[in-house]
Amino acid sequence: PWFTAFAAEIKLAPKTALLAEIFWQTREKPGASNRIACNIGFKQKITSNLRLHGAIGKSLRDHNAAGPKLNLFIGFKYELAVRTPAQP
């Protein structure tokens, strides 16, 4: 299946951001419906490398066709530090 998404992030406070996403996914089985849905959530900086993410979303189609009726995501994101050589 194909997947396309558009997302935005707005900083609300020094360590907190509002996240929004709309996505479209082609059907996995012949005759099934394509999925179009949205999510809204947050990103909270815990340390310089660790973030807490959470979001909730649902289908944008009539009667939740192709789902999801409700999505709930929560998790951590650890960002590895990449060191670049010192500039001369």
Side-chain angles (χ1 to χ4, degrees):
W2 288 88
F3 181 86
T4 301
F6 297 95
E9 179 177 322
I10 299 169
K11 192 172 189 176
L12 298 176
K15 295 184 176 186
T16 307
L18 175 69
L19 309 173
E21 173 190 43
I22 185 168
F23 67 90
W24 172 77
Q25 181 180 359
T26 60
R27 61 185 171 264
E28 294 183 24
K29 298 178 183 177
S33 298
N34 293 329
R35 175 182 286 189
I36 185 165
C38 66
N39 295 314
I40 189 163
F42 71 93
K43 177 170 72 172
Q44 179 70 39
K45 183 177 182 180
I46 297 171
T47 68
S48 61
N49 297 75
L50 186 64
R51 310 287 188 272
L52 173 65
H53 286 233
I56 190 166
K58 67 180 282 319
S59 174
L60 295 176
R61 299 192 60 192
D62 289 339
H63 309 293
N64 299 314
K69 289 183 181 178
L70 180 68
N71 265 345
L72 179 62
F73 300 99
I74 194 158
F76 291 96
K77 176 184 176 187
Y78 186 79
E79 298 174 355
L80 299 174
V82 177
R83 296 185 180 188
T84 57
Q87 298 295 322

